[in-house]
């Protein structure tokens, strides 16, 4: 049997490990250990399993086992820190997690020096969503548009590469298909990707039109399509708009498709990232769904203690529990939220989800506003195309008392994700608070109404609507809205209002609380 993974071929009949066409030197016990891990890659193997299989039950120290595992990792270009191929699961065991392709070797196959290189076999799909951005076709006779289209593709490729959960084929590989008529399914097989983005550019008069479409390379199904158009004199601004629009649309679409895949998997074959994806699907606004999501994120953490985004999302679940009055033990659950958030930002220095979710939890629960802003800013540097990070940053600027910056960040979130319903109402809620801080109560009320129309139970929007109407002199409307808030959370009082709205500046909170008291919120 020959196992292919990354650039390696592991031949159990010849008892040889190849990297490309070259043989990797590997000790017999190290070979046996790697073979056992690969053969049993569908499950976690314990220390005792390894000792029984490789050492035939002889007494082996933990240090000896660790030394052999380190040798296995070194042979296949992995490390105990990266754990890209072999994961250590504390108190449970070990698992080979790299994608593997099995190849039956016919009897009497050619000698090792004539071995077919792994690169001649189709690459195995990565263990995360994968995409290739193909060169856009120039449909006009103007060769200048060729350069423009290439620039758009390069920008989109780089922007998508900033999502750590996404595997993006490098531009140089994608551009080998330029001017070639190749079936998308064939491209998916040759590049080892699940999704392909293709498009075209056309000049019509003094305007440029770009069209893009996202395709599932396994089935040929079209998942998304959009057109972008602008005047030719604004070519470079249009290029930026196209990049933002495409990335803002397809990144959530890809994640949605991966969540559907994770849901279809049998429970016994789920790994940490599958549990994380299932948690994302459950992380909604209902109390029960929030609790289910939290348990799924904990399961992901249990399987992979280094999965920073799972810590961030678990902290986010506790943040929602506090905001909506769902906590059973506020002191204990708040402390757990802070613990998870700090691990998220520590492990996820280059993970924008871990940074923005962990950072927001530190602001909302721990009131560590300056640290939260630093983590949020880092998330936006790592991935300036992540709409959720801009939205949460808008809320953070609200709590910090920075209305102009909050509106700026909300506008960026809306531009990146204009069709996401949850993004729409949460961002309009943050805009309502920003206008409230700037004493624009009519505009604040209008933004709040928009948010409430899309989610009638969004408590933050309900409260800012009541407060804005009260300060605008519309007391009857304000009183009706406060009653609506109390229907959503009967335990809401002026005395615990800071749990919902943690304004940093005392004067901001005082104005907000007084307006709600005037509208009928009980002390």
């Amino acid at each position: 049997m020959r196992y292919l993974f990354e650039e390696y071929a592991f031949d159990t009949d010849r008892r040889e490990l190849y990297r490309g066409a070259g043989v990797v030197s590997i000790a017999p016990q190290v070979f046996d250990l790697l073979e056992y891990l690969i053969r049993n890659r569908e499950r976690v193997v314990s220390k005792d399993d390894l000792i029984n299989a490789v050492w035939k039950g002889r007494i082996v120290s933990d240090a000896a086992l660790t030394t052999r595992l380190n040798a296995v990792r070194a042979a296949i270009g992995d490390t105990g820190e990266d754990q890209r191929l072999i994961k250590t699961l504390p108190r449970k065991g070990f698992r080979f997690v790299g994608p593997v392709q099995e190849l039956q070797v016919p009897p009497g196959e050619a000698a090792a020096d004539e071995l077919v290189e792994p690169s001649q076999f189709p690459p195995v799909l990565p263990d995360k969503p994968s995409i290739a951005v193909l060169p856009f076709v120039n449909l006009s006779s103007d060769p200048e548009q060729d350069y423009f289209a290439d620039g758009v593709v390069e920008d989109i490729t780089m922007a998508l590469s900033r999502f750590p959960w996404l595997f993006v084929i490098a531009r140089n590989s994608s551009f080998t298909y330029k001017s070639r008529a190749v079936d998308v399914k064939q491209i998916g097989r040759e590049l080892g990707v699940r999704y392909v983005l293709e498009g075209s550019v056309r000049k019509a008069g003094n305007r440029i039109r770009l069209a893009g479409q996202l395709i599932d390379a396994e089935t040929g199904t079209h998942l998304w399509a959009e057109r972008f158009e602008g005047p030719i004199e604004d070519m470079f601004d249009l290029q930026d708009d196209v990049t933002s629009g495409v990335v803002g649309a397809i990144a959530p679409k890809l994640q949605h498709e991966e969540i559907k895949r994770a849901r279809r998997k049998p429970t016994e074959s789920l790994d940490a990232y599958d549990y994380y994806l299932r948690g994302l699907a459950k992380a909604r606004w209902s109390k029960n769904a929030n609790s289910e999501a939290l348990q799924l994120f904990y399961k992901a953490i249990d399987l992979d203690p280094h999965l920073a985004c799972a810590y961030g999302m678990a902290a986010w679940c506790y943040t929602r529990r506090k905001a909506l009055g769902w906590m059973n033990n506020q002191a204990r659950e708040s402390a757990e939220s802070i613990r998870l958030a700090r691990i998220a930002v520590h492990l996820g220095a280059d993970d924008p989800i871990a940074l923005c979710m962990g950072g927001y939890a530190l602001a909302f629960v721990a009131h560590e506003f300056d640290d939260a802003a630093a983590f949020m800013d880092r998330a936006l540097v790592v991935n300036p195309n992540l709409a959720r990070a801009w939205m949460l940053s808008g809320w953070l600027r609200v709590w910090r008392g920075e209305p102009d910056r909050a509106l700026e960040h909300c506008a960026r979130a809306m531009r990146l994700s204009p069709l996401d319903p949850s993004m729409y109402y949460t961002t309009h809620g943050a805009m309502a608070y920003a206008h409230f801080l700037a004493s624009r109560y009519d505009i604040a009320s209008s933004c709040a109404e928009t948010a409430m129309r899309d989610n009638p139970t969004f408590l933050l929007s309900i409260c800012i609507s009541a407060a804005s109407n009260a300060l605008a002199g519309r007391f009857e409307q304000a009183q009706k809205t406060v009653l609506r808030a109390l229907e959503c959370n009967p335990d809401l009082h002026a005395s615990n209002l800071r749990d919902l709205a943690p304004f940093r500046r005392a004067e901001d909170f005082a104005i907000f609380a007084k307006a709600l008291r005037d509208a009928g919120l009980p002390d």
Side-chain angles (χ1 to χ4, degrees), residues 61-77:
S61 68
D62 287 348
L65 178 58
T66 300
T67 299
R68 290 294 186 271
L69 280 167
N70 288 341
V72 171
R73 286 189 168 116
I76 57 177

Side-chain angles (χ1 to χ4, degrees), residues 2-300:
R2 184 176 296 150
Y3 298 97
L4 306 179
F5 55 93
E6 294 191 345
E7 69 267 40
Y8 295 91
F10 185 71
D11 194 321
T12 59
D13 297 323
R14 299 181 185 278
R15 288 187 62 81
E16 288 180 321
L17 174 67
Y18 300 90
R19 183 177 184 181
V23 179
V24 178
S25 177
I26 185 169
Q29 273 189 344
V30 175
F31 185 96
D32 293 340
L33 189 55
L34 178 56
E35 180 180 1
Y36 187 80
L37 287 167
I38 292 177
R39 285 189 186 276
N40 294 275
R41 61 190 179 276
E42 296 302 323
R43 66 183 180 90
V44 177
V45 298
S46 67
K47 181 178 71 172
D48 290 341
D49 290 335
L50 293 176
I51 292 172
N52 289 331
V54 178
W55 284 274
K56 310 304 180 187
R58 296 197 306 272
I59 296 175
V60 178
S61 68
D62 287 348
L65 178 58
T66 300
T67 299
R68 290 294 186 271
L69 280 167
N70 288 341
V72 171
R73 286 189 168 116
I76 57 177
D78 199 6
T79 67
E81 181 178 349
D82 293 340
Q83 300 193 16
R84 187 182 75 259
L85 295 173
I86 299 174
K87 290 282 188 186
T88 299
L89 304 170
R91 300 181 302 281
K92 293 183 180 296
F94 313 92
R95 186 179 172 199
F96 192 95
V97 295
V100 176
Q101 180 181 358
E102 295 186 6
L103 184 69
Q104 291 287 348
V105 182
E109 190 188 69
D113 59 354
E114 298 176 5
L115 180 71
V116 177
E117 294 186 30
S119 59
Q120 293 180 308
F121 296 101
V124 179
L125 284 173
D127 58 353
K128 56 184 178 179
S130 48
I131 185 171
V133 185
L134 299 183
F136 281 20
V137 178
N138 182 8
L139 299 179
S140 62
S141 58
D142 184 357
E144 287 294 322
Q145 308 319 312
D146 223 25
Y147 302 126
F148 172 67
D150 289 352
V152 169
V153 170
E154 186 163 359
D155 281 354
I156 291 172
T157 302
M158 292 185 64
L160 289 172
S161 299
R162 289 172 167 148
F163 290 88
W165 52 269
L166 192 58
F167 181 91
V168 183
I169 291 293
R171 174 193 183 278
N172 289 348
S173 293
S174 296
F175 268 66
T176 60
Y177 294 94
K178 188 168 184 176
S179 303
R180 291 171 55 192
V182 185
D183 179 70
V184 167
K185 293 183 181 180
Q186 179 184 340
I187 293 173
R189 290 191 299 269
E190 292 179 355
L191 294 179
V193 295
R194 187 168 287 148
Y195 305 101
V196 169
L197 177 69
E198 62 179 17
S200 62
V201 58
R202 181 192 300 271
K203 180 184 176 186
N206 68 338
R207 299 184 69 77
I208 301 174
R209 175 180 295 170
L210 283 103
Q213 51 189 356
L214 180 67
I215 303 169
D216 186 320
E218 291 181 317
T219 64
T221 304
H222 285 64
L223 303 174
W224 168 88
E226 188 59 85
R227 291 189 311 181
F228 304 86
E229 189 171 340
I232 195 167
E233 59 267 22
D234 296 336
M235 184 184 298
F236 295 110
D237 289 339
L238 177 61
Q239 182 170 320
D240 292 340
D241 290 343
V242 169
T243 299
S244 296
V246 170
V247 173
I250 70 174
K253 183 65 178 177
L254 289 178
Q255 195 163 65
H256 178 69
E257 291 297 317
E258 290 302 304
I259 287 171
K260 289 199 295 185
R261 288 178 185 274
R263 282 173 164 172
R264 291 196 296 266
K265 281 188 178 183
T267 304
E268 59 270 17
S269 67
L270 294 179
D271 59 20
Y273 191 66
D274 291 324
Y275 278 108
Y276 171 75
L277 289 173
R278 287 191 172 197
L280 288 183
K282 291 285 187 180
R284 305 300 183 192
W285 292 93
S286 77
K287 183 177 182 179
N288 288 340
N290 183 279
S291 297
E292 291 178 33
L294 185 57
Q295 294 310 310
L296 289 165
F297 293 133
Y298 272 126
K299 183 66 175 177

